Amino acid sequence: MKIYRFDTEHLATVYVAAIIESLMATKANPVLGLATGATTVNLYRQLVEFHQQGLSFSHVTTVNLDEYVGLPAGHPQSYHQFMHCHLFEHLDIPADQTFLLNGVTTDVAAECERYDRIISSYPIDLQILGIGRNGHIGFNEPDISLKTLTHVITLSPDTIAANARFFSEPKAVPTQAITMGIQSILQAKVIILMAFGRNKAHSVKRALSGEVSTRVPASFLQMHPNVTFVLDKEAAIELGTETFFQLSRS
Ligand code: F6R
């Protein structure tokens, strides 16, 4: 487990974008596991900048973590739409190399099985994660047990409250999502969890320094052999200074 603390979110995202570029340069058909949400916006902007400077993504495959139940791909708050607006429409990845969950499927069990087959067919080289204030990764919410594979989950009140900022009103936030399971996330060869801001500090601390617990799904990352937490100063504020490698200009 590596923990990198950067002075700013900008430096942190440039670092993660450079790791993605390096993977793309060394692997013929790299598979990226991707997250959505505010944490990823600047990372995707950086990747778009790389593309504008000549970096091709045509050999990349992407697999997204999750999608809201009930939101069609064209809904402005769907994760399909998020990925399209922030990343895919600006890059040259063929559409059939981008995999997302269908939030309006009429057969949820079949959709989960379809996704698990995709994850098996395209083993993820590098999984990008954010973290919820409650310690969730993907939409694997704290509970007495966690599901291993792709499944439907009822979102916690904390997640609904946190994500209400993207919707017109809290009542408009879907109450369920489909998410990759914890085992699928842990199967990625390399995992980078990004967290920025003071409101992530407590979940980062609990993920890193507590016991592995289903009450803090991100704590399961402690069991993975190649995980890096990429933090800004605020997200790292509850960690002891000895715990991380500091990438700082000062
Ligand atoms: C979304 C996802 C979630 C988010 C987390 C943080 O695809 O996987 O786990 O990463 O909720 O969201 P933000 O970045 O909006 O704080």
Side-chain angles (χ1 to χ4, degrees), residues 12-24 43 46-47 50:
T13 53
V14 171
Y15 173 77
V16 177
I19 290 176
I20 292 174
E21 188 280 332
S22 167
L23 173 69
M24 288 168 53
L43 172 66
Q46 189 61 52
L47 294 178
F50 285 177

Side-chain angles (χ1 to χ4, degrees), residues 36-61:
T36 54
T39 308
T40 58
V41 168
N42 288 328
L43 172 66
Y44 296 156
R45 189 172 296 143
Q46 189 61 52
L47 294 178
V48 170
E49 267 184 42
F50 285 177
H51 179 61
Q52 287 163 351
Q53 289 163 24
L55 182 69
S56 174
F57 286 71
S58 60
H59 60 310
V60 172
T61 294

Side-chain angles (χ1 to χ4, degrees), residues 68-100:
Y68 288 116
V69 168
L71 298 194
H75 188 285
Q77 302 310 335
S78 75
Y79 285 164
H80 275 78
Q81 197 64 13
F82 179 98
M83 292 308 299
H84 182 70
C85 295
H86 290 283
L87 198 63
F88 297 151
E89 73 172 342
H90 308 286
L91 302 183
D92 58 345
I93 307 183
D96 62 358
Q97 289 169 210
T98 62
F99 295 105
L100 291 108

Side-chain angles (χ1 to χ4, degrees), residues 75-138:
H75 188 285
Q77 302 310 335
S78 75
Y79 285 164
H80 275 78
Q81 197 64 13
F82 179 98
M83 292 308 299
H84 182 70
C85 295
H86 290 283
L87 198 63
F88 297 151
E89 73 172 342
H90 308 286
L91 302 183
D92 58 345
I93 307 183
D96 62 358
Q97 289 169 210
T98 62
F99 295 105
L100 291 108
L101 283 150
N102 177 6
V104 289
T105 179
T106 52
D107 186 342
V108 171
E111 176 61 6
C112 292
E113 281 168 24
R114 178 189 76 89
Y115 218 64
D116 288 334
R117 281 195 300 275
I118 290 168
I119 296 163
S120 299
S121 307
Y122 299 92
I124 293 171
D125 293 301
L126 171 58
Q127 176 67 56
I128 301 295
L129 296 175
I131 185 170
R133 294 184 311 199
N134 63 2
H136 74 211
I137 48 176

